[in-house]
């Protein structure tokens, strides 16, 4: 689902700010101008106060990157975050 929600992330201990651009149960696309991420990195994204998701960065293009979550997140969470 398309969204423009600010999120924070860690790699694994370095915090960074990002904007969530698209979210599904299995992954997301985001933008970060604060930290250059690299394919293969494992990162944790704090999607909301109660939801974090760990995953692997699967591609990077400039400030954009995509993450495949290690475990799917609940579809209701996706709907709430996209609202």
């Amino acid at each position: 689902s398309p969204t423009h929600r600010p999120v924070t992330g860690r790699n694994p201990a370095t915090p960074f700010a990002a904007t969530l651009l698209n979210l599904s149960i299995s992954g997301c696309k985001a933008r970060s101008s604060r930290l250059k991420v690299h394919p293969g990195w494992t990162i944790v994204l704090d999607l909301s106060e109660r939801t974090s998701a760990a995953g692997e960065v699967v591609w990077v293009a400039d400030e954009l990157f995509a993450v495949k979550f290690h475990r799917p997140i609940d579809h209701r969470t996706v709907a709430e975050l996209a609202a």
Side-chain angles (χ1 to χ4, degrees):
S1 298
T3 184
H4 283 1
R5 174 181 287 279
V7 295
T8 57
R10 297 178 299 286
N11 167 42
T14 304
F16 65 93
T19 301
L20 193 62
L21 301 174
N22 198 303
L23 179 67
S24 71
I25 62 170
S26 61
C28 68
K29 179 170 77 171
R31 176 187 303 119
S32 179
S33 59
R34 305 268 180 171
L35 177 70
K36 178 129 176 82
V37 299
H38 298 278
W41 276 12
T42 294
I43 63 173
V44 178
L45 293 174
D46 298 320
L47 301 172
S48 70
E49 289 182 13
R50 6 173 263 254
T51 304
S52 294
E56 180 181 341
V57 176
V58 292
W59 62 260
V60 175
D62 297 319
E63 296 179 348
L64 300 176
F65 62 95
V67 177
K68 181 178 183 204
F69 299 143
H70 292 159
R71 287 187 216 139
I73 60 174
D74 186 89
H75 70 280
R76 287 173 290 203
T77 301
V78 172
E80 286 173 17
L81 294 173

